Amino acid sequence: MLAEAEIGHRVEKQAFAQAVPGLREALINAQYDLGQSRRFAVIVLLSGVAAAGKSEAVNRLLTWMDPRYIETLAIGHEETEEQQSRPYMWRFWQILPPKGRITILFEHWYTQPGLQYAMGHIGDAELGQRLAEINRFERMLTDEGVLLLKFYMHITKKGQRRRLKQLASDPNTSWRVTRDDAFYVKNYRPVIRSVEEMLRLTSQGYAPWIVTEAADRRYRELVIGQTLLRAIKGRLDATAKPPASQRDGTEFRIPAPDGRSVLTALDFTSRVAPRTYADRLEALQGRLSELTRSKAFQKRSLILVFEGCDAAGKGGTIRRVAQGIDPRSYHIVPIAKPTDEEAAHPYLWRFWRHIPRHGRVTMFDRSWYGRVLVERVESLCPETDWRRAYGEINDFEADLTAGGAILIKFWLAISKTEQLRRFKDRERQAFKRFKITKEDWRNRDRWDDYEKAVEVMVALTSTDIAPWMLVEAEDKNSGRLKVLRTICERLEAVL
Amino acid sequence: MLAEAEIGHRVEKQAFAQAVPGLREALINAQYDLGQSRRFAVIVLLSGVAAAGKSEAVNRLLTWMDPRYIETLAIGHEETEEQQSRPYMWRFWQILPPKGRITILFEHWYTQPGLQYAMGHIGDAELGQRLAEINRFERMLTDEGVLLLKFYMHITKKGQRRRLKQLASDPNTSWRVTRDDAFYVKNYRPVIRSVEEMLRLTSQGYAPWIVTEAADRRYRELVIGQTLLRAIKGRLDATAKPPASQRDGTEFRIPAPDGRSVLTALDFTSRVAPRTYADRLEALQGRLSELTRSKAFQKRSLILVFEGCDAAGKGGTIRRVAQGIDPRSYHIVPIAKPTDEEAAHPYLWRFWRHIPRHGRVTMFDRSWYGRVLVERVESLCPETDWRRAYGEINDFEADLTAGGAILIKFWLAISKTEQLRRFKDRERQAFKRFKITKEDWRNRDRWDDYEKAVEVMVALTSTDIAPWMLVEAEDKNSGRLKVLRTICERLEAVL
């Protein structure tokens, strides 16, 4: 779920200076209205790896709003004697804000389990158990009307190192670099893996994590400020809060202040010459063949998901991958409308039917993501159904990977212009004509809606165990090579 | 949550013979309507300790309904090779019934984790994690429209031993007694403790456990048949299923076929003579005093909850308990209407304020159970709020006990006649007059509603970590002694 926070968001000085006065006024007003109405309390949790800028964000919020009515606390790292002799949750109940007030916590109920897990004091199972308790606690809070905002401020490994160096070199800030920080830098990968797991298990529709790219100070502060504003105003304006089942975790999403997204950040310029392509393709297919015949693979399975807009080249890509695998051990599953039998079962049933046994490969040409793409955009299922699908899909994929499956999901991306070129091409070529229908043109009209749905999908379902791989398929050759390379590298890493 | 299944329910032969024909016809009709409408699928899980009569119950259901459209399966104990080489949950997805059909599982997704936990192969944390996964799975199923009925068939230790002996002595049934059964008999207490924990963690409003006393064959079979009928008919008649947040786990409750309940099963005849009372009271208070001054108690705390209808004698009982404790180390918290400040916080906040530190005792004169008693009966809070309270209270009490608190909850029960006598008595005696108000008389008019609310409360919140103790307080003396004795015995067992 950190994917959308690694695309180099940044806000220029001037744009920031332009945005702040309005935001500030709106925030103060929202805070005042909240205090007057006393309709609900607001709790803001700030999380993030070391050096993600949590305390700076708090300071900024305090200058933007009226600090007399905001409590800022850190409860998690150290225990008072008072706290030690009472049940663990007691400390948090003591500091819950009353209706009309805001509390910002930069250490909170995630801090202790997170630390203990990172340090190896508790294992997967105990972490899972504690997160389940946290879920029930947050469910209770939001059922009681609390507006709960959980920010996760993400920073890449390089970004983290750079920032810590900066802090350490300045005598005014060097005290802020602690021994814990060194631990996190050294263990960046495993820490991030457990963060992904934590985000997946605790990002419920009623209390979603809001992941923010934190490398650029101006960007992260605008995101936090604007999100807070939108959330408070939205709740004040609403006559009733939406029922828990109708919340999918996108309630608080604001458009990125710099306008960039996982899709617009793609670079469509790379090209591969036909000659190079043929050579590399053959080499990669050979590598894949060896990997899927290896002894280690006989205790795993491989599940590949191919999604992309019409004419993005899914079919051609799947064929190139298939050429690298023994035909007896792969299976291609094209997903279209459900059969009667499939429609009579829970949604995911028709995909479970095709889950491969160990030693085998299944490629899905479109997949369970139809629910949050076409079914969402075309209103083919009730809103409550696709809203709960994100969490269900994450659970489903966790089941798959826990059972030994290696799961890779590809989104083949092309530009709108390229799609038009391919459509026209298809219409001209007799043997490709069956591939283009009225429906394709209709879908094209909803390009923007699909783009938004894809962004939310990647944000909510790209997990460490089942990441989305966004493939620039503008140039078919380079797209296919990237897919094959990704598969080979992933298999090599795992086997 | 097993409390209501230990009161000796039984149905006489004649009553059974009278009930069956009608039930049978209604079940067949419901099954037919379900098949015609194809609106939803039904999954029935049967659980229970050894010798609780699971297979007999299945056989009975199959004779009462059309067995051609019911699948009966056991998936949990043994694994096929097919299952082993796929993700764990795959096996359950393979057997999900389509809409319109019924599947009965007498081994299922609880079987493997339950066994592994009972045998000590997995610990508390891993059990908790697996149950959290099960919750998400069941949530998905019910969101997808599946009607999920989970029966837990309970049998007391004595009942179990008796039945296993019976089975073993008959050559026709002796093969059914396995080595596993011996294990369960030998480890009855720890197994039941983990069952209580499992029921607490997985009894969600959308998929509650239905606990059935299983000692009497006719009783348990009527309960299962009638519950199944009510659930299927209820769903067929409903235009829409209630949203998950509005289900509290009582959707499928039927009146006990034999009319008995935890309250009506109480015996109000015992009396204690004044002389004996004085002696015993003093002895018990002395014991309590020693226990609460012991060194071991300095690492625990004691929380006592007193509930009961008006004039049941809560105040007098609390005073007698207090006399056995050093005044510096106890605190009595009478619960009335919330203050403004309390009303501005989540419901449980006002109780957390009074949670004692280690070495101390807090007695609540009325408590958080107000939400599911007076607030429920008098409609003082929205239905959704009290419905979700049962689960929240269980979580709250789990937090307390995990933090070292010993929690005992007393329901002081008197008969309706005795209440009238005490009311009149109070009106006569000037110094007791302030204790009786118009509200008391009004509450009395709703006696039956309160009684139902108490039964549900005991059923859903009596857990192994925080059991309800029902006290016959018809005779004040004997009630007070029972309370004191219970506290002393519990402290002695724990410290």
Side-chain angles (χ1 to χ4, degrees):
Chain A
M1 304 173 70
L2 303 174
E4 60 170 344
E6 293 193 343
I7 62 177
H9 282 295
R10 58 181 285 121
V11 169
E12 297 306 324
K13 206 166 177 178
Q14 208 191 339
F16 186 73
Q18 247 167 17
V20 165
L23 174 61
R24 204 171 159 170
E25 196 189 325
L27 270 173
I28 278 274
N29 282 336
Q31 187 186 7
Y32 178 78
D33 290 345
L34 170 70
Q36 285 299 99
S37 79
R38 291 200 196 166
R39 287 222 339 249
F40 54 89
V42 179
I43 300 176
V44 178
L45 308 188
L46 293 179
S47 289
V49 287
K54 282 187 290 181
S55 36
E56 284 157 342
V58 172
N59 290 338
R60 186 71 84 175
L61 282 178
L62 292 177
T63 66
W64 283 348
M65 301 170 85
D66 186 339
R68 287 171 303 170
Y69 304 111
I70 301 183
E71 264 215 284
T72 311
L73 292 160
I75 298 183
H77 218 123
E78 274 151 34
E79 282 186 322
T80 65
E81 199 246 326
E82 188 75 14
Q83 289 168 349
Q84 269 171 358
S85 74
R86 286 205 173 75
Y88 175 67
M89 293 307 289
W90 180 82
R91 62 196 70 180
F92 301 114
W93 282 88
Q94 296 317 300
I95 53 87
L96 293 185
K99 289 174 185 171
R101 301 291 283 267
I102 301 173
T103 290
I104 302 176
L105 295 173
F106 48 114
E107 284 181 13
H108 37 70
W109 39 86
Y110 289 97
T111 311
Q112 201 199 70
L115 269 174
Q116 290 184 342
Y117 182 77
M119 303 290 184
H121 299 162
I122 63 175
D124 284 334
E126 192 162 344
L127 180 71
Q129 188 192 27
R130 298 210 40 192
L131 296 181
E133 281 159 14
I134 287 177
N135 279 336
R136 289 200 295 273
F137 177 65
E138 294 184 347
R139 175 74 192 239
M140 179 278 304
L141 285 182
T142 52
D143 271 341
E144 287 279 346
V146 171
L147 175 63
L148 179 61
L149 290 168
K150 309 188 289 190
F151 289 98
Y152 186 82
M153 301 165 74
H154 181 56
I155 198 168
T156 58
K157 189 170 179 170
K158 234 163 87 186
Q160 186 183 46
R161 197 159 287 180
R162 194 182 316 125
R163 213 169 113 69
L164 281 172
K165 245 187 214 155
Q166 229 173 42
L167 286 175
S169 65
D170 182 340
N172 286 321
T173 54
S174 63
W175 60 273
R176 285 174 49 194
V177 181
T178 66
R179 222 185 313 168
D180 279 358
D181 293 340
F183 171 86
Y184 283 111
V185 169
K186 213 173 143 192
N187 296 281
Y188 184 86
R189 276 308 303 160
V191 166
I192 286 297
R193 253 203 302 281
S194 61
V195 166
E196 280 269 19
E197 180 74 354
M198 185 198 76
L199 294 181
R200 178 177 76 78
L201 289 172
T202 58
S203 214
Q204 308 291 341
Y206 48 86
W209 278 100
I210 303 147
V211 175
T212 313
E213 185 159 349
D216 180 60
R217 175 170 180 168
R218 286 184 292 263
Y219 178 81
R220 69 181 182 242
E221 286 170 5
L222 272 192
V223 167
I224 293 174
Q226 289 178 355
T227 305
L228 184 59
L229 173 65
R230 185 202 187 101
I232 295 177
K233 279 194 64 168
R235 179 69 69 82
L236 281 172
D237 294 344
T239 46
K241 62 179 159 53
S245 60
Q246 278 189 26
R247 293 185 246 163
D248 64 350
T250 57
E251 200 183 345
F252 309 130
R253 276 182 84 83
I254 53 160
D258 63 351
R260 281 165 71 86
S261 77
V262 283
L263 289 178
T264 61
L266 293 175
D267 172 19
F268 284 144
T269 56
S270 85
R271 295 276 176 282
V272 177
R275 189 63 176 276
T276 336
Y277 169 67
D279 289 350
R280 290 204 189 145
L281 184 69
E282 215 187 299
L284 282 166
Q285 287 173 340
R287 239 165 104 189
L288 179 59
S289 166
E290 229 169 277
L291 284 162
T292 51
R293 279 182 292 119
S294 71
K295 212 176 148 199
F297 186 68
Q298 302 318 306
K299 297 197 164 175
R300 307 298 294 262
S301 62
L302 178 63
I303 300 173
L304 302 173
V305 167
F306 293 89
E307 292 279 0
C309 56
D310 296 319
K314 291 187 291 293
T317 308
I318 290 174
R319 270 199 306 282
R320 301 313 183 284
V321 175
Q323 283 162 7
I325 310 173
D326 180 337
R328 287 165 302 178
S329 60
Y330 74 79
H331 182 50
I332 299 173
V333 183
I335 295 296
K337 269 196 188 153
T339 63
D340 283 357
E341 202 192 354
E342 287 171 345
H345 282 90
Y347 177 68
L348 290 168
W349 184 78
R350 62 196 185 114
F351 308 105
W352 273 105
R353 301 178 86 177
H354 301 294
I355 295 310
R357 47 185 303 157
H358 290 168
R360 301 181 60 89
V361 182
T362 299
M363 289 180 262
F364 286 93
D365 184 352
R366 302 200 188 272
S367 68
W368 43 94
Y369 284 98
R371 179 136 277 197
V372 296
L373 294 170
V374 59
E375 292 192 44
R376 169 183 176 159
V377 173
E378 309 288 347
S379 303
L380 300 179
C381 74
E383 192 176 331
T384 43
D385 287 351
W386 61 257
R387 282 196 185 273
R388 65 182 160 80
Y390 300 101
E392 286 172 6
I393 286 173
N394 284 340
D395 288 339
F396 168 49
E397 296 180 350
D399 283 343
L400 297 183
T401 51
I406 300 157
L407 174 59
I408 317 176
K409 306 178 295 198
F410 295 101
W411 176 264
L412 304 192
I414 55 173
S415 67
K416 210 172 166 182
T417 345
E418 174 65 15
Q419 190 189 44
L420 184 66
R421 210 190 52 68
R422 291 189 190 178
F423 274 15
K424 289 198 168 149
D425 205 43
R426 284 180 176 187
E427 283 189 323
R428 268 194 307 271
Q429 283 182 280
F431 74 97
K432 278 192 178 170
R433 239 173 153 160
F434 74 96
K435 287 179 87 175
I436 185 105
T437 64
K438 268 191 192 155
E439 210 176 289
D440 292 326
W441 288 102
R442 213 168 40 235
N443 289 346
R444 187 174 156 79
D445 286 341
R446 314 205 57 169
W447 182 276
D448 293 346
D449 294 333
Y450 274 101
E451 206 159 57
K452 249 178 254 161
V454 171
E455 280 166 23
V456 172
M457 173 187 83
V458 171
L460 298 184
T461 62
S462 197
T463 54
D464 196 68
I465 50 170
W468 272 104
M469 184 57 58
L470 281 85
V471 180
E472 298 86 343
E474 191 87 348
D475 174 49
K476 285 186 178 177
N477 293 350
S478 90
R480 290 167 184 170
L481 291 181
K482 184 170 178 184
V483 167
L484 268 156
R485 204 180 313 115
T486 305
I487 300 172
C488 290
E489 284 169 2
R490 185 76 184 282
L491 286 177
E492 278 157 6
V494 172
L495 297 179
Chain B
M1 303 175 69
L2 304 174
E4 58 169 347
E6 294 192 345
I7 61 177
H9 281 296
R10 59 181 285 121
V11 170
E12 297 306 322
K13 206 166 177 178
Q14 208 192 336
F16 186 74
Q18 248 167 17
V20 164
L23 174 61
R24 204 170 159 172
E25 197 190 325
L27 270 173
I28 278 272
N29 281 337
Q31 187 187 8
Y32 179 79
D33 291 345
L34 170 71
Q36 287 298 100
S37 79
R38 292 200 196 165
R39 285 218 344 246
F40 54 90
V42 179
I43 300 176
V44 178
L45 308 188
L46 292 180
S47 288
V49 287
K54 281 187 289 180
S55 36
E56 284 157 343
V58 172
N59 290 337
R60 186 72 83 173
L61 282 179
L62 292 176
T63 67
W64 283 349
M65 301 171 85
D66 186 338
R68 288 171 302 170
Y69 304 111
I70 300 183
E71 265 215 283
T72 311
L73 292 160
I75 297 181
H77 219 120
E78 273 150 33
E79 281 187 322
T80 66
E81 199 246 327
E82 188 75 14
Q83 289 168 348
Q84 269 170 0
S85 73
R86 287 205 173 76
Y88 174 68
M89 293 306 290
W90 181 81
R91 61 196 69 181
F92 300 114
W93 281 88
Q94 297 316 297
I95 53 87
L96 293 185
K99 288 173 186 173
R101 301 291 283 267
I102 301 173
T103 291
I104 301 176
L105 296 172
F106 49 114
E107 285 180 13
H108 37 71
W109 39 88
Y110 289 97
T111 311
Q112 201 199 71
L115 269 174
Q116 290 184 345
Y117 182 77
M119 304 290 183
H121 299 161
I122 63 175
D124 284 334
E126 193 162 344
L127 180 71
Q129 188 191 27
R130 297 208 43 192
L131 295 181
E133 281 160 15
I134 287 177
N135 279 336
R136 288 200 294 273
F137 178 64
E138 293 185 347
R139 174 74 192 238
M140 179 278 303
L141 285 182
T142 53
D143 271 341
E144 288 279 348
V146 171
L147 175 62
L148 178 60
L149 290 168
K150 309 188 290 191
F151 289 98
Y152 186 81
M153 300 164 73
H154 181 56
I155 197 167
T156 57
K157 190 170 180 173
K158 234 162 88 185
Q160 185 183 46
R161 197 159 287 180
R162 193 181 318 125
R163 212 169 115 70
L164 281 172
K165 246 187 214 155
Q166 227 172 45
L167 286 175
S169 64
D170 180 341
N172 287 321
T173 54
S174 63
W175 59 273
R176 283 172 51 193
V177 181
T178 67
R179 216 178 325 162
D180 279 358
D181 293 338
F183 171 86
Y184 283 110
V185 169
K186 215 174 141 192
N187 296 280
Y188 184 86
R189 277 308 305 160
V191 166
I192 286 298
R193 253 204 302 282
S194 62
V195 165
E196 280 269 19
E197 180 74 355
M198 185 198 78
L199 294 181
R200 179 177 75 79
L201 289 172
T202 58
S203 213
Q204 308 289 343
Y206 48 86
W209 279 100
I210 302 147
V211 175
T212 313
E213 185 159 351
D216 180 61
R217 176 170 178 168
R218 287 184 291 263
Y219 178 81
R220 69 180 181 244
E221 286 169 7
L222 272 192
V223 167
I224 292 174
Q226 288 178 354
T227 305
L228 184 59
L229 173 66
R230 184 201 187 102
I232 295 177
K233 279 193 64 168
R235 180 69 70 82
L236 281 171
D237 293 345
T239 45
K241 62 177 159 52
S245 60
Q246 278 188 25
R247 292 184 246 163
D248 63 350
T250 58
E251 200 182 345
F252 308 131
R253 276 181 83 83
I254 52 158
D258 62 352
R260 282 166 70 85
S261 78
V262 283
L263 289 178
T264 61
L266 292 176
D267 172 19
F268 284 143
T269 57
S270 84
R271 294 277 175 281
V272 177
R275 188 68 175 274
T276 336
Y277 169 67
D279 288 351
R280 289 203 191 146
L281 184 70
E282 213 187 303
L284 282 167
Q285 286 173 341
R287 239 165 103 190
L288 179 59
S289 167
E290 228 169 276
L291 283 162
T292 50
R293 279 182 291 121
S294 72
K295 211 175 151 202
F297 186 68
Q298 303 317 308
K299 295 195 165 173
R300 307 298 294 265
S301 62
L302 177 63
I303 299 173
L304 301 175
V305 167
F306 293 89
E307 292 279 358
C309 55
D310 296 318
K314 293 187 290 293
T317 308
I318 291 174
R319 268 199 306 281
R320 301 312 184 283
V321 174
Q323 283 161 6
I325 310 172
D326 180 338
R328 285 165 303 179
S329 60
Y330 74 78
H331 182 50
I332 299 173
V333 183
I335 295 297
K337 271 197 186 150
T339 63
D340 283 358
E341 203 194 351
E342 287 171 344
H345 282 91
Y347 177 67
L348 290 168
W349 184 78
R350 61 193 184 118
F351 308 105
W352 272 104
R353 300 177 87 179
H354 300 294
I355 295 310
R357 47 185 303 157
H358 291 168
R360 300 181 61 90
V361 181
T362 298
M363 288 180 263
F364 286 93
D365 184 354
R366 303 201 187 270
S367 68
W368 44 94
Y369 284 98
R371 180 136 275 197
V372 295
L373 294 171
V374 58
E375 292 192 44
R376 171 183 175 160
V377 173
E378 309 287 348
S379 302
L380 300 179
C381 74
E383 192 175 331
T384 44
D385 287 351
W386 61 258
R387 281 197 186 275
R388 64 181 161 80
Y390 300 101
E392 287 172 6
I393 286 173
N394 284 339
D395 287 341
F396 168 50
E397 295 180 351
D399 283 343
L400 297 183
T401 51
I406 300 156
L407 174 59
I408 317 175
K409 305 177 295 198
F410 295 101
W411 176 263
L412 304 193
I414 54 174
S415 67
K416 211 173 165 181
T417 344
E418 174 65 15
Q419 190 190 42
L420 184 65
R421 209 190 51 70
R422 292 190 190 177
F423 273 16
K424 288 197 169 150
D425 205 42
R426 285 182 176 186
E427 282 188 327
R428 268 194 305 272
Q429 283 181 278
F431 74 97
K432 277 192 177 170
R433 241 178 154 160
F434 73 95
K435 285 178 92 176
I436 185 105
T437 64
K438 270 193 192 153
E439 211 176 288
D440 292 326
W441 288 102
R442 215 169 39 236
N443 289 346
R444 187 173 156 80
D445 286 342
R446 313 204 58 169
W447 181 276
D448 293 347
D449 294 335
Y450 274 101
E451 205 159 57
K452 251 179 250 160
V454 171
E455 280 166 23
V456 172
M457 173 187 82
V458 172
L460 298 184
T461 62
S462 197
T463 55
D464 195 69
I465 49 170
W468 272 105
M469 184 59 55
L470 281 84
V471 179
E472 299 86 344
E474 191 87 349
D475 173 49
K476 285 186 178 178
N477 292 349
S478 92
R480 289 168 184 169
L481 291 181
K482 183 169 178 185
V483 167
L484 268 156
R485 202 179 314 116
T486 305
I487 300 172
C488 290
E489 283 169 3
R490 185 76 183 283
L491 286 177
E492 277 158 6
V494 172
L495 297 178

